[in-house]
Amino acid sequence: MVGSGIGAPARRQRRDGALRREAVLDAGLEIFSTVGLHGASLDQIALRAGLSKTNLLYYFRTKEDLYVAVLRRVLDVWLDPLHALDADSEPAEALKRYIRSKITLSRDAPRASRLFCLEIVQGAPLLRAELEGPLRDLVEAKAAVLRGWIAEGRIAPHDPRHLVFAIWAVTQHYADFAVQVEAITGRDLSDEAFFEQTVESTQRLILASLGLS
């Protein structure tokens, strides 16, 4: 009982610390995706997170450290659906699920996509190691799955990496260019009917190119 009494405050302190760190990351995403790295200040981010700047610096020593941490979290979230593609999956259903997951993220986390897009357009100066390491490894692993499906005649021949790029380009367009989409169509992904239409249209487009329509 004594041990549990001592442990509870420590667990609560760790939990509270994790929650504060997530609050800083959330605030960083909001500010960075609006004004960029150079337009943002730690004072702005601390205010948005509901912390003092001193408390923020306990979790991240510099603005650049925070920016990279935000980008890494964005990358983890956006790449997570890709992990579900495996050799034993039925290609049409697996690709349909992947496309739906990506468009769902464009609807639910557009700021994340826009921030990542901004970093890439600027040459990814702070994220290149992630792109050339974990991201490349994941894409190559999934390219091997796609090559296996091609070899088995389960999908039409197509360069696997370009297939992944095409899916990213189409699905993330609805986050990165949401203003343009709404200006042209008068609708956005918050409209459930438009969301489903976008998913189904993109699925048909990609699957047809692979002989799966």
Side-chain angles (χ1 to χ4, degrees), residues 73-82 97-114 168 171-172 174-176 189 195 199:
R73 189 177 69 162
V74 165
L75 197 56
D76 287 343
V77 169
W78 277 88
L79 292 178
D80 184 61
L82 188 57
R97 284 194 299 272
Y98 181 53
I99 290 165
R100 178 175 288 276
S101 295
K102 289 289 290 177
I103 295 176
T104 298
L105 283 170
S106 283
R107 180 193 64 191
D108 297 344
R111 286 184 183 275
S113 182
R114 291 171 198 154
W168 289 352
T171 58
Q172 289 178 231
Y174 293 92
D176 301 340
L189 294 180
F195 172 82
V199 170

Side-chain angles (χ1 to χ4, degrees), residues 17-34 42 44-46 48-51 55-57 59-77 111-112 115:
L19 290 173
R20 283 192 291 271
R21 187 178 190 277
E22 285 300 304
V24 172
L25 289 169
D26 289 342
L29 173 60
E30 185 173 351
I31 299 297
F32 289 137
S33 65
T34 302
L42 289 178
Q44 287 175 300
I45 295 168
R48 186 61 57 91
L51 299 173
N55 283 338
L56 185 154
L57 289 171
Y59 298 100
F60 301 99
R61 293 181 301 171
T62 67
K63 182 172 66 171
E64 288 73 19
D65 287 345
L66 173 56
Y67 182 73
V68 170
V70 169
L71 283 169
R72 284 175 175 162
R73 189 177 69 162
V74 165
L75 197 56
D76 287 343
V77 169
R111 286 184 183 275
L115 178 60

